[in-house]
Amino acid sequence: MAASPKHEYYETLGVPRTADAEEIRKAYRKLARKYHPDLNPGDKSAEERFKNVQEAYDVLSDGKKRQMYDQFGFYSENGFAPPSPGSQGGGAGQHFDFSGFDFSDFMSGGGGAGQHTTGGGGGFRDIFSQFFGGREQARHEEPEKGGDLEYVMNIDFWQAIRGTQARVNISRYEICDTCRGTGSSGAGEVNCPQCKGSGHVSQMAGAMRFNLTCPRCGGSGKLRNSCPTCGGDGRVTHTESVEIRIPPGARDGSRLRVPGKGNAGTYGAPPGDLYITTKVEPHPFFQREGDNIEIRVPVAVWEAALGAKIEVPTIDGRTLLKIPQGTGNGQKFRLREKGVANSRTGLRGDQIVEISLAAPDPRDERVRHLLGELAELHKHEDPRAEMWSKI
């Protein structure tokens, strides 16, 4: 990241230096909308302002970055700003040049002859560690476990109930066949262009110049010749078809793990895993609640009034349900062990049947006549009487 900002971050966002995180966030959102390139097509000035706003927010929204910016007037991931033109590490009347002094022993807590460090690796390391995160130490290429992958698989209701097998195409990193995961072409090494092979670089921090471990080569002064196939990463992108077994009873949002099918690790480290999240399409009339199945079944008025045995659908097929006399609309009945089988417990849920009374079609003359007789027979009864009594 650029070390010396071309603009003052607080001024760019239009907030005072005492602004809290919420004020900074609100100011950023307002300015980002105002200068967004999509809302200002072809406007180079707006595009530049948008970049400045993004840069300012990136620093001021992060506690450690902001602390460094407030104290030194810049933020750099390497920890130091480059020297300003014409400066030798000091302002007017000052000249502090530490270019001939190597602070690596102080930063590593070693403390050589004639040098003094406090116990526990103190000295300059304590001073700079809160900002530089230990960047003075050489970076070693160590094996790192491959990252996990996440995919979503759409399945229908019956595939979730009964289980299924399906194939999904995934894009993942696998070990490069050319270099066998080393990232090197095997053609030797070249001098690091950043430190010119010395393993150290000089950088300024205000009025002082420091010799630091080169961040590019990690202090070795050498860079390996990268593999032409993988570009030195040791891995290449590969698309693979993986067979996924969906167990019976899978739910919407179930997460399945396929070991070893994530990204390949680096330098011989194990690969990550593949995780499949199921998205179950709804059924026209079966509703699933946990391991239970719920369904609304239409029942004729005379069936509900006189009682009947009716056929109702289940996930296993048709089954008989006895409707007692005087069954009301919305009344529920339970069919034991007619729900979904739980693959972990081996138990089945139930099916809950809700009665939905279906009114007869009054277009038939005889039906209207019978309904009229029924109304005359019960003309002194008010089905809403209980409701009125409670108002």
Side-chain angles (χ1 to χ4, degrees):
M1 181 177 174
S4 183
K6 300 178 181 178
H7 54 99
E8 210 283 331
Y9 291 156
Y10 290 101
E11 292 180 2
T12 298
L13 294 182
V15 297
R17 299 183 74 87
T18 57
D20 59 23
E22 182 63 20
E23 290 176 290
I24 291 173
R25 185 183 68 84
K26 288 181 178 179
Y28 162 73
R29 293 183 63 182
K30 180 181 178 181
L31 293 173
R33 284 194 298 266
K34 181 178 180 180
Y35 296 111
H36 198 284
D38 291 346
L39 302 179
N40 301 273
D43 189 339
K44 295 296 183 182
S45 176
E47 182 178 349
E48 186 65 24
R49 289 291 300 274
F50 180 76
K51 291 179 180 178
N52 289 343
V53 168
Q54 290 276 48
E55 179 183 339
Y57 182 71
D58 178 65
V59 172
L60 298 185
S61 62
D62 185 284
K64 281 196 172 182
K65 293 180 182 180
R66 183 179 179 182
Q67 184 182 5
M68 181 179 182
Y69 178 76
D70 287 344
Q71 185 163 352
F72 296 105
F74 69 89
Y75 169 74
S76 170
E77 291 185 358
N78 290 328
F80 300 98
S84 58
S87 69
Q88 271 299 323
Q94 293 179 323
H95 183 79
F96 298 97
D97 188 352
F98 290 83
S99 58
F101 198 97
D102 191 335
F103 288 92
S104 60
D105 283 339
F106 284 94
M107 293 183 175
S108 63
Q115 300 169 347
H116 172 72
T117 59
T118 57
F124 281 100
R125 181 176 182 177
D126 287 340
I127 298 174
F128 296 118
S129 63
Q130 61 176 313
F131 298 118
F132 310 146
R135 293 182 183 271
E136 75 282 351
Q137 299 177 3
R139 296 187 300 185
H140 302 286
E141 294 174 335
E142 297 180 351
E144 184 177 347
K145 184 178 183 294
D148 296 332
L149 296 177
E150 297 272 355
Y151 277 79
V152 175
M153 176 181 286
N154 293 315
I155 57 177
D156 64 33
F157 177 83
W158 293 112
Q159 287 175 319
I161 296 297
R162 298 165 180 164
T164 187
Q165 286 187 335
R167 303 196 73 86
V168 59
N169 291 326
I170 65 170
S171 180
R172 59 187 291 266
Y173 283 116
E174 67 174 13
I175 296 297
C176 175
D177 288 333
T178 304
C179 65
R180 302 298 181 186
T182 65
S184 174
S185 65
E189 297 177 325
V190 296
N191 282 341
C192 172
Q194 185 166 345
C195 66
K196 304 297 189 292
S198 69
H200 293 83
V201 292
S202 295
Q203 290 190 343
M204 298 295 298
M208 296 183 291
R209 180 184 295 173
F210 293 90
N211 286 333
L212 301 176
T213 301
C214 176
R216 184 165 181 180
C217 66
S220 67
K222 301 291 184 181
L223 291 177
R224 65 187 180 190
N225 283 319
S226 298
C227 169
T229 303
C230 64
D233 186 55
R235 304 177 301 174
V236 292
T237 305
H238 173 70
T239 300
E240 180 179 349
S241 179
V242 179
E243 185 173 70
I244 307 297
R245 179 183 174 274
I246 306 296
R251 304 185 184 187
D252 185 57
S254 293
R255 198 162 179 257
L256 309 174
R257 174 174 170 262
V258 184
K261 287 300 181 180
N263 287 325
T266 60
Y267 305 105
D273 300 326
L274 170 65
Y275 289 91
I276 299 293
T277 301
T278 57
K279 185 173 180 60
V280 182
E281 299 173 1
H283 191 272
F285 50 83
F286 285 127
Q287 301 291 328
R288 183 172 175 179
E289 290 293 334
D291 292 332
N292 291 340
I293 294 292
E294 297 182 354
I295 183 175
R296 294 186 69 195
V297 176
V299 173
V301 173
W302 53 88
E303 290 177 323
L306 302 176
K309 288 184 178 181
I310 62 171
E311 283 188 326
V312 297
T314 71
I315 59 175
D316 298 321
R318 301 186 179 194
T319 192
L320 283 176
L321 174 65
K322 183 178 180 180
I323 303 295
Q325 294 182 5
T327 295
N329 186 52
Q331 193 168 340
K332 294 181 179 181
F333 298 91
R334 183 182 297 270
L335 297 175
R336 300 287 181 184
E337 297 186 353
K338 290 294 184 181
V340 182
N342 189 306
S343 59
R344 287 177 296 180
T345 64
L347 303 176
R348 290 193 64 169
D350 302 328
Q351 177 163 312
I352 310 301
V353 180
E354 181 181 348
I355 301 302
S356 175
L357 292 184
D361 188 350
R363 289 176 294 181
D364 183 271
E365 182 66 30
R366 188 179 178 191
V367 170
R368 287 202 303 272
H369 178 73
L370 292 174
L371 289 176
E373 289 186 356
L374 185 62
E376 181 66 24
L377 183 63
H378 297 279
K379 64 181 179 179
H380 297 299
E381 296 180 11
D382 184 357
R384 292 165 292 280
E386 184 179 356
M387 177 188 298
W388 296 120
S389 67
K390 295 180 180 180
I391 294 179

